[in-house]
Amino acid sequence: YTYPNGKRAIENFNGEFKMGEKYLIKGESGAGKSTLLKLIAGYLKGYEGSIYYDDENLEDISWPSLMEQIAYIGQDVYIFNETIKFNITLGKDVDQSLYEKAISVSELESFIQGKKEKDAFILDGGGENISGGERQRIAISRAIASGKKIWFIDEGLQGMDEKTREKVETNLLKEDVLLLMISHVSKEREKEYTDQITIGSI
């Protein structure tokens, strides 16, 4: 892939990612980690080579059908001026057990229980009345509540305190999904992933 400024990224890359497995994407700043996720998710066009989901070329898959399968969590999380519950479910009818799981995996229980209105608490547009870490956890809870089985997380655990981040990451690694994670983790934590994919510098 070539950036608009002419720099190339992810040359000669071949990879295979399997459902149910967890992959840690590593590399120096500017190496193309986020670019890799955006390419696989169909956000970027004009790349060389081919990307396949099973035996179907990404170019032949419609955007809506692709987005039905992929949950993409970045550092910028949009928060609606709506209740906590709406921000998790996005107004969709979500099974109660799945909704409760979303809250549990994202470690939102104490945050919700700390509000007088519980999950009926109204969030400001853009999430001005909550912390960055709380916004990130809401994004993660959305992915779980959506029922999607492919999760791309691009530094999506940033903004949380270390203890909460460790808990959320541990929970995520237990989920039966394909997880591609860009995150700075310890050597010990790296061992918990199926594989580590290192992207070379541009």
Side-chain angles (χ1 to χ4, degrees):
Y1 180 75
T2 302
Y3 295 112
N5 63 7
K7 287 187 177 182
R8 293 176 62 82
I10 322 174
E11 293 192 88
N12 304 313
F13 177 82
N14 289 285
E16 182 178 15
F17 305 104
K18 298 180 180 180
M19 288 299 297
E21 305 294 350
K22 315 297 186 294
Y23 300 89
L24 181 64
I25 311 299
K26 304 192 300 182
E28 297 177 0
S29 178
K33 302 184 296 297
S34 296
T35 301
L36 176 65
L37 292 194
K38 290 176 181 177
L39 285 168
I40 300 173
Y43 288 131
L44 298 177
K45 306 295 182 183
Y47 54 86
E48 298 173 24
S50 299
I51 300 171
Y52 288 90
Y53 280 83
D54 293 329
D55 295 322
E56 190 171 4
N57 194 308
L58 176 60
E59 295 179 350
D60 298 327
I61 303 174
S62 71
W63 176 258
S65 64
L66 190 63
M67 289 301 98
E68 286 177 2
Q69 307 298 322
I70 296 174
Y72 196 106
I73 302 168
Q75 296 182 60
D76 296 322
V77 181
Y78 189 81
I79 299 296
F80 296 90
N81 181 208
E82 264 285 0
T83 64
I84 294 173
K85 184 171 185 177
F86 179 93
N87 273 281
I88 293 173
T89 66
L90 298 180
K92 297 177 181 177
D93 185 17
V94 175
D95 180 80
Q96 184 62 24
S97 62
L98 181 58
Y99 176 67
E100 291 174 359
K101 178 183 179 181
I103 292 171
S104 176
V105 172
S106 58
E107 296 290 331
L108 278 173
E109 297 108 323
S110 60
F111 167 66
I112 292 174
Q113 292 305 313
K115 304 298 182 184
K116 179 182 177 181
E117 304 88 345
K118 302 300 187 275
D119 63 1
F121 178 77
I122 300 293
L123 301 179
D124 290 343
E128 295 299 322
N129 58 341
I130 58 175
S131 71
E134 286 158 355
R135 289 195 292 270
Q136 295 301 142
R137 282 183 280 159
I138 286 173
I140 290 168
S141 67
R142 279 180 192 167
I144 299 161
S146 73
K148 297 176 181 179
K149 293 296 184 181
I150 302 174
W151 297 355
F152 296 164
I153 302 182
D154 185 354
E155 300 286 6
L157 304 185
Q158 301 305 306
M160 302 180 199
D161 62 83
E162 186 175 353
K163 184 178 179 180
T164 301
R165 186 172 65 247
E166 286 286 322
K167 286 182 178 179
V168 171
E169 189 170 10
T170 295
N171 294 341
L172 292 175
L173 289 169
K174 294 176 182 177
E175 290 299 300
D176 184 22
V177 298
L178 165 57
L179 173 64
L180 271 63
M181 172 86 81
I182 297 175
S183 182
H184 300 287
V185 302
S186 66
K187 290 292 184 182
E188 285 302 312
R189 174 64 83 177
E190 285 183 1
K191 298 174 183 177
E192 298 178 36
Y193 287 82
T194 305
D195 198 5
Q196 294 98 49
I197 311 297
T198 301
I199 304 300
S201 298
I202 299 171

